[in-house]
Amino acid sequence: MFRKPQAAMTHVPLPLPVSFNKWSVPTERSSRLANTPLTIKAPEQFPTIPTIDEWQNVWKVWDLLTLQIITRDKLLVRPIDLRHPFIFYLGHIPAFADIHMAAAETAPLSEPAIFAQWFERGIDPNMEDTSICHSHSEVPDKWPSVEEITVYRDNVRRRIAAWIDSYAALKGNVPADAARHVWMAFEHEAMHIETLLYMVLQMDPEDIRSPINCTFAPNRFALPDRCWVSYAGYPAVVLGLPSDNEVALGTATLPPGHVFGWDNESPSTNIAVKPFRIQTQPITNGEYFTFLKAVQSGNTKIKRSIYDLVPRSWIALECDQHPTRAANTAVLATNYGVRTVVGTPSIFSTEAALWPVIVSQVQATAYASWKGKRLPTESEWTHAARTYHLAYALSITASESNYSSAVPLDMYLDELLSAQNTTASVHTCQPYDLFVPSDANVGFAHWHPVPVPALQPNAITDTDSLPDATFIGSTWEWTSTQFYPFDGFQPSVMYPGYSADFFDPPETCDSDSTHYVIKGGAYATHPRIALRQTFRNWYQRGYPYMLASFRLCEDTV
């Protein structure tokens, strides 16, 4: 279902490891369910605390990005004005981890302790007024040398490895608060791999040292016919983690199998979802360019300029006059490529035409308006994704399919489960969506997005087959839900500003600087995060750099 690119890919190893699609996955993750009986045996989830192998794989990716893909002479570059230069992040990752390791061990910071002050927290200012920014570290007048930061990093890594060894020796009998600190350090580093990557993508491509040699397939395929899946809705779609209360767990012994989440994932909440239908795939680069041509022609009601609508994930390969903010130069380039660390494939002549387009929420909303549709809400997207994954996993194990496009997918799933005296919510409300196909493009399975599945010629008329749908992998996806806490939200004691600093008042919903929820996971997302369906990511709706795409949605009767 999650198909590999229709391309001849050549991967040439460099001195540092470059294949990181071995980031740990849940044990026995359904064996992709292809050979299992229809009765569901829930796969195992990730261990509560990341293993040393998981840590080491994340460190390999981080070192590849910071010490190879970014060359030494580019560490002081600041490709995105809203972020620090690269060298800050070189120190930020070990400093954040050390602060939490010291708390976990009730022990002093690693030396030099001043690094924790300089590198504790980065910046994410308001896009419309950069003087507005959350609390952050005051950076030094002169950055430490790369050698000093690397020695510090290695000391912190040894500290983490020693704690993991102790955790194993104690068979997990450790205080929950200590374990949470270590988990936080891990997911924080995994998330910053994506941050650093999308910063790298804004560099001059000539300055990026590619980790692999990559040949992109020619674009031999027409843009896919659009397929939709309908849902009857649900009176109480569960969002969030029901049992991860940081304060309640406190210093008690870590419960077996506990799933940690960030503060905005708790407490769980129930959202009523009305009937809707949603596209099976995100919008592609090719489709988005068609939209831009319509805007340039003046045949739309879109008020945004071409300059504001061209994705920052694209780079002009040929142009007579590249778009600027000046009204008289709002002209599209002749050819665009997609920014990746392995090249800039054309959105016309290569497979990149079928990749999900990476855009801001403002740009996604403009496209949806042009089509007379909208973006899904957080609850709609979540209900659609986890229902589809379970229904697909069950349907491929059934002796024959009785799916009909005339039946909402959630009702079809209820029919599949009725003979087993169970309900979908028993499986779909788990913290991890363990029925995501194993070849989903996450964890650097590829170093770029992959094409959305091109629908077969009979896909529209073949109403007895569940259509291909992709919800996880290649890109995150924007929703129409403003980032706001669930009822009963409590800021994390360990990291109080993680979420609370980015909740915007509801009346600011139309501002480019207002934060909106994104769901799913991109090609650079760690599987722990991509598969934890309760994870809530967010960015300012005008932020154009995040690896996020979108799909269309609409109400049904």
Side-chain angles (χ1 to χ4, degrees), residues 369-393:
S369 174
W370 174 62
K371 284 290 189 179
K373 311 298 182 187
R374 61 176 175 81
L375 303 187
T377 64
E378 178 183 11
S379 52
E380 286 172 334
W381 191 98
T382 302
H383 182 61
R386 62 194 188 190
T387 300
Y388 178 88
H389 290 146
L390 181 55
Y392 187 88

Side-chain angles (χ1 to χ4, degrees), residues 114-131:
I114 190 65
F115 278 18
Q117 180 178 325
W118 289 343
F119 294 112
E120 179 180 5
R121 197 176 190 198
I123 57 171
D124 184 10
N126 183 295
M127 291 185 63
E128 297 172 299
D129 182 355
T130 56
S131 67

Side-chain angles (χ1 to χ4, degrees), residues 2 15 28 47 96 198 201 286 289 302 332 337 362 492:
F2 282 71
E28 304 285 333
F96 183 94
Y198 72 65
L201 297 182
F289 186 78
I302 304 301
L332 286 170
V362 167
S492 168

Side-chain angles (χ1 to χ4, degrees), residues 318-461:
E318 306 166 22
C319 61
D320 300 319
Q321 194 173 31
H322 189 60
T324 69
R325 284 196 181 277
N328 61 350
T329 58
V331 178
L332 286 170
T334 307
N335 191 9
Y336 288 100
V338 179
R339 294 176 178 270
T340 80
V341 296
V342 292
T344 54
S346 167
I347 65 169
F348 302 121
S349 61
T350 77
E351 65 178 70
L354 292 176
W355 292 358
V357 62
I358 294 172
V359 292
S360 70
Q361 206 258 15
V362 167
Q363 293 165 335
T365 301
Y367 181 99
S369 174
W370 174 62
K371 284 290 189 179
K373 311 298 182 187
R374 61 176 175 81
L375 303 187
T377 64
E378 178 183 11
S379 52
E380 286 172 334
W381 191 98
T382 302
H383 182 61
R386 62 194 188 190
T387 300
Y388 178 88
H389 290 146
L390 181 55
Y392 187 88
L394 282 169
S395 68
I396 62 176
T397 67
S399 57
E400 60 182 44
S401 172
N402 62 346
Y403 172 76
S404 168
S405 60
V407 178
L409 186 60
D410 37 10
M411 293 178 63
Y412 166 71
L413 181 57
D414 287 340
E415 292 176 7
L416 285 177
L417 295 173
S418 61
Q420 303 180 40
N421 296 318
T422 185
T423 62
S425 61
V426 172
H427 308 284
T428 59
C429 292
Q430 298 302 312
Y432 288 105
D433 186 344
L434 300 178
F435 301 100
V436 175
S438 60
D439 58 350
N441 186 23
V442 298
F444 290 102
H446 298 267
W447 281 85
H448 52 76
V450 297
V452 303
L455 301 182
Q456 299 300 317
N458 66 339
I460 301 301
T461 57

